[in-house]
Amino acid sequence: MDNIIDKLRQVRRGAMFIIEGPSGTGKGAICKEVLAQDPHIKFSVSATTRAPREGEVDGVDYHFLSDEEYDKLVAEDAFYERVDSQYGHRYGTLRREVDSFLNVGEDVLFDMDWVGARQMKEKAPDDVVTIYILPPSFAELRRRLEGRATDSAEVINKRMAQFRDKVSHWKEFDYVIVNVNLDETVCKVQKIISGERMKRVRQVGLQAFVDELVKESEHE
Ligand code: 5GP
């Protein structure tokens, strides 16, 4: 039986899950937990020109690039999507990063803003699933942002000032979760992922499987 499940997985069509929400909603922690618990979903490491925060590792959290390196990749058309003015920095998704996972049937998880989510949804409407995370209150969001010792007061203020602009896009997303409790939110994200995986269009190996079932039934 396991054999059949493995076979079906090998030929399934990978999906792209985009997680977005205002800064400080806990997107990073949610993504980390989902990835730690599911070996079949991989994180798309974005490129950015912002400096690493304490504890962030190059190539794991982001590909941290200089403006020159980023420009070079733009010239090479190496990005699926990018935003060039987020809090004074640039962020983008590298094609090679995503394709390396989708080509082997793995799902991909993105921590991406609504501009990028919209671009990705337009490019691949059937393969992109978007999830919006809301904070339980603005006070909580402020507390979480101020708890990030590595961001300057200026950056924190910029992020809070952009709250209303960011939150105004929540209706563009397929799913919405209020992140009251990390464990519960992670569980909800996992349910979305497993539901999406079961969609008929993603299980491209099913036709052969059903054909086989029918053939077997003919020998009865
Ligand atoms: P942070 O600096 O807090 O890590 O991220 C700032 C914002 O940039 C977040 O809203 C995050 O989702 C977004 N972001 C990170 N990587 C990408 C990316 O590759 N593309 C786009 N469009 N946004 C990104």
Side-chain angles (χ1 to χ4, degrees), residues 19-23 27 44-48 50 53 56 62 81-83 86-87 89 91-94 110-117 119 148 151 159 166:
I19 302 219
E20 156 68 331
S23 280
K27 282 176 294 173
S44 167
V45 180
S46 298
T48 184
R50 88 153 159 74
R53 294 194 187 111
E56 283 184 334
Y62 280 104
E81 63 75 40
R82 58 195 167 86
V83 279
Q86 271 275 52
Y87 318 110
H89 301 296
Y91 297 83
T93 304
L94 293 165
F110 301 78
D111 171 354
M112 179 186 283
D113 77 331
W114 64 267
V115 183
Q119 289 177 44
R148 280 182 189 164
D151 282 349
R159 287 176 193 264
K166 275 221 158 208

Side-chain angles (χ1 to χ4, degrees), residues 35-48:
L35 292 162
Q37 294 184 26
D38 184 342
H40 297 294
I41 187 154
K42 305 287 193 250
F43 186 60
S44 167
V45 180
S46 298
T48 184

Side-chain angles (χ1 to χ4, degrees), residues 39 57 62-63 79 83 92 111 113 117 128 148 170 197 215 218:
V57 178
Y62 280 104
H63 297 292
F79 288 100
V83 279
D111 171 354
D113 77 331
V128 171
R148 280 182 189 164
W170 71 278
R197 280 178 180 161
K215 222 194 290 162
E218 285 165 358

